[in-house]
Amino acid sequence: MSLMSSRCIDKHTTVGLEGGEFVLHPQAAQIMEWFQKNHPNYTLLSNCLSYQKVIDLTRRYKPKHLYLSLDGDKETYKNMRGVDGYDRVIKVIETLKDEIPISLMFCLSPFNSLKDMEYTINIAKQYKIDIRIGIYGTMDYFDTKTSMLQTEGIDYIAQIPKNIHDTQENYDFVALYDQWSKGNLRLRCHSITNSLVIHADGNVPICQNLGLTLGNIKEQSLDEIFNSAQSVKIQKQYSKQCNACWINFHRKYDIILLRNLERIFPKKLIETVYGKYSWCEDKSLTYKKYLKRVTK
């Protein structure tokens, strides 16, 4: 695990083990054992199809957090994934909810609905666990060609389920998607300077969305890839200009950053340092004023 000795990684760095389905990796147990002993600040993401393996590995190697994919009720799950795995997710929740922090991962997509979001939030409330909501995007790595979620012609904001307000850090991300998809919302992307993804083939992309690779860990160290002069130049370029995705791994960071800045400074003052940005078609509105307008 020479990767973990990189200077850009410290004990506070959270490492997420995901996939595909990480527990199907032939060395899943050995990798998790290493993390338990050497870098316990790690998490596991699973679809729970191999539910007993998820339960056994979690109990043995104790990741800090368990993230479980659930995109609706039993019928929706089968329609979206082509397999009836709903009960397996529930089995993992019921088995481990008192042993480890669990979050449900719901992804709103063309294949489910806001009603499914409401249902999944209620499941999280039933079991007193956290829920994180994402929105489907056409990530380059997964070669997804299906069109993205469309909000034109519907009262999207009004249809967002009310129980989303009982969750943390989800409503604004879901509500603001409407303005981003219409081209009205523009934020810089700062997350690419402190968060990264490593693909199974060793490639390190600039982000989850773009097909731009900074390097490969089989050929260079992670520090050389992430902190080289060329990478820093590319990161600055895309941080300033790119507004091409609404992936929660990246954009929630940007929302929280600007939302907190606006609590202290006027929008015009922030823009003198940060650059021009907008939450909606009215470029003068702050985050608070826009959300107040749409939630009336």
Side-chain angles (χ1 to χ4, degrees):
M1 298 297 287
S2 59
L3 178 71
M4 294 300 297
S5 63
S6 304
R7 293 190 306 277
C8 61
I9 297 175
D10 63 29
K11 66 179 181 179
H12 303 293
T13 301
T14 299
V15 177
L17 304 180
E18 35 190 277
E21 177 64 8
F22 179 80
V23 299
L24 297 183
H25 191 289
Q27 294 178 298
Q30 295 96 311
I31 293 170
M32 291 179 70
E33 181 180 19
W34 187 94
F35 273 99
Q36 182 190 30
K37 293 178 180 177
N38 299 282
H39 193 90
N41 187 22
Y42 81 101
T43 65
L44 177 65
L45 175 67
S46 176
N47 60 27
C48 298
L49 292 182
S50 298
Y51 71 94
Q52 193 59 54
K53 185 171 285 189
V54 174
I55 292 170
D56 292 343
L57 289 174
T58 298
R59 281 179 163 166
R60 187 179 303 169
Y61 300 117
K62 298 178 172 52
K64 289 290 186 183
H65 206 111
L66 187 60
Y67 295 95
L68 307 179
S69 298
L70 186 64
D71 299 319
D73 62 17
K74 189 178 180 73
E75 182 179 355
T76 297
Y77 191 105
K78 186 174 182 178
N79 289 338
M80 283 187 65
R81 298 178 179 266
V83 61
D84 187 3
Y86 174 90
D87 291 334
R88 301 178 215 185
V89 178
I90 300 301
K91 175 68 173 178
V92 173
I93 295 171
E94 291 179 342
T95 303
L96 296 176
K97 65 182 177 65
D98 297 323
E99 301 179 27
I100 182 174
I102 294 177
S103 292
L104 290 183
M105 303 294 286
F106 175 88
C107 181
L108 181 64
S109 77
F111 313 107
N112 59 6
S113 69
L114 290 162
K115 284 290 185 184
D116 289 304
M117 180 189 294
E118 180 178 34
Y119 176 91
T120 308
I121 291 171
N122 282 334
I123 290 292
K125 292 174 68 176
Q126 175 185 339
Y127 289 105
K128 297 184 170 76
I129 59 176
D130 176 52
I131 183 168
R132 311 290 174 89
I133 296 174
I135 296 178
Y136 175 86
T138 53
M139 294 184 190
D140 179 82
Y141 181 69
F142 294 110
D143 193 26
T144 49
K145 304 300 183 185
T146 304
S147 61
M148 296 168 62
L149 185 69
Q150 300 297 313
T151 63
E152 292 286 350
I154 66 171
D155 192 350
Y156 172 77
I157 300 296
Q159 293 186 37
I160 296 174
K162 302 300 181 187
N163 62 358
I164 197 173
H165 296 288
D166 299 329
T167 73
Q168 294 184 348
E169 305 294 349
N170 285 309
Y171 176 72
D172 53 3
F173 178 77
V174 174
L176 289 167
Y177 174 82
D178 184 46
Q179 289 296 326
W180 174 81
S181 66
K182 293 173 181 175
N184 297 324
L185 181 148
R186 295 202 62 84
L187 304 180
R188 293 181 61 173
C189 184
H190 280 280
S191 67
I192 58 174
T193 62
N194 63 25
S195 302
L196 62 84
V197 174
I198 302 174
H199 290 159
D201 59 6
N203 280 341
V204 180
I206 190 171
C207 70
Q208 286 193 349
N209 186 60
L210 301 175
L212 176 60
T213 300
L214 297 178
N216 189 293
I217 60 170
K218 297 177 183 178
E219 301 168 0
Q220 299 170 278
S221 72
L222 189 61
D223 290 315
E224 289 172 329
I225 294 169
F226 195 63
N227 294 322
S228 70
Q230 179 64 15
S231 291
V232 170
K233 181 180 178 181
I234 294 171
Q235 288 164 347
K236 286 182 177 179
Q237 175 190 342
Y238 279 86
S239 175
K240 184 177 181 179
Q241 299 176 1
C242 190
N243 189 52
C245 82
W246 201 245
I247 297 172
N248 57 354
F249 180 76
H250 296 294
R251 303 323 300 265
K252 282 189 176 182
Y253 180 99
D254 304 311
I255 294 170
I256 293 169
L257 173 65
L258 276 178
R259 185 182 70 191
N260 289 338
L261 284 173
E262 286 186 349
R263 289 173 177 171
I264 303 170
F265 304 108
K267 186 174 185 293
K268 287 185 178 180
L269 180 59
I270 296 170
E271 289 182 325
T272 61
V273 178
Y274 176 92
K276 295 290 184 180
Y277 68 94
S278 60
W279 298 105
C280 61
E281 71 280 3
D282 184 345
K283 294 177 172 53
S284 68
L285 286 186
T286 62
Y287 162 90
K288 185 176 181 180
K289 287 182 179 178
Y290 171 69
L291 265 295
K292 185 177 181 181
R293 187 180 77 177
V294 299
T295 53
K296 283 184 177 179

